[in-house]
Amino acid sequence: MTHRWRLALAAALALLTLACSQRFEWREVRVDAGAVASLPGRPQSVTRDLDVGGQPVSMTMWSTGVGATMFAVGVARLPPALLSEPAERAQAIAYFRDGLVRNIGGTVTASAPPSLALPPGGARRLLASEAVEALGRPGADGRKSRLAARFFIVDDQLFQVVALGAEGEIPPEVLNTFFTSFRLAP
């Protein structure tokens, strides 16, 4: 390969990298419940009333998309009946996790307890957490849906941080940027 071709290839790769990085225009969003996350673009919010284990729960979601890829942060205040014991907290997380997985006709492929840094000097407590990945039914392009989500119960709030796209659509560094951007505001 000649020097000229190498330079042309390097320039093309640089343009491609630049185009990909501009695709995700991250904006920091403060959600009502005192949490902050970066979302690509201007999010829309919607609030829904749910029945979680016989308990009324109102969840607000902030979401945005890039093409067919969706990023969202949800917040719900949980009633005392869903907080008093570890089993109830696990049930609350399972309700939201299983709903997301069911929506894509999916199967959980990985699950682990993620960490969440709490604001220094505060009295907030992380009571439960779960990170999941799932694969779901194929879309119009034949690729399976890929879901990556984090759930945190801090004091009486449940936080849901979700990325959803076609398999191979969301690069690992984009997922890392999104998930590490979520933090509790002091």
Side-chain angles (χ1 to χ4, degrees), residues 44-57:
Q44 297 179 347
S45 67
V46 64
T47 300
R48 291 183 51 201
D49 293 325
L50 308 166
D51 181 308
V52 180
Q55 299 293 314
V57 173

Side-chain angles (χ1 to χ4, degrees), residues 30-94:
R30 180 179 281 273
V31 296
D32 287 344
V36 176
S38 290
L39 292 166
R42 292 181 190 251
Q44 297 179 347
S45 67
V46 64
T47 300
R48 291 183 51 201
D49 293 325
L50 308 166
D51 181 308
V52 180
Q55 299 293 314
V57 173
S58 180
M59 173 171 263
T60 301
M61 294 284 294
W62 290 263
S63 64
T64 187
V66 175
T69 302
M70 188 267 309
F71 297 88
V73 177
V75 181
R77 191 163 305 280
L78 299 176
L82 295 174
L83 293 167
S84 61
E85 297 292 328
E88 282 87 9
R89 295 188 290 267
Q91 175 190 1
I93 287 177

Side-chain angles (χ1 to χ4, degrees), residues 112-174:
S115 61
L116 176 65
L118 298 175
R124 299 186 87 176
R125 296 176 308 137
L126 177 63
L127 301 175
S129 65
E130 184 175 6
V132 296
E133 292 189 19
L135 287 176
R137 70 177 87 72
D141 64 359
R143 293 185 294 169
K144 290 187 175 192
S145 300
R146 179 171 182 235
L147 168 75
R150 306 289 182 267
F151 304 91
F152 304 99
I153 295 178
V154 179
D155 299 326
D156 67 345
Q157 295 171 311
L158 180 132
F159 297 95
Q160 173 178 281
V161 186
V162 181
L164 175 65
E167 191 173 23
E169 184 71 20
I170 309 172
E173 62 273 10
V174 169

Side-chain angles (χ1 to χ4, degrees), residues 87-100:
E88 282 87 9
R89 295 188 290 267
Q91 175 190 1
I93 287 177
Y95 173 87
F96 291 98
R97 177 200 62 223
D98 295 348
L100 288 171

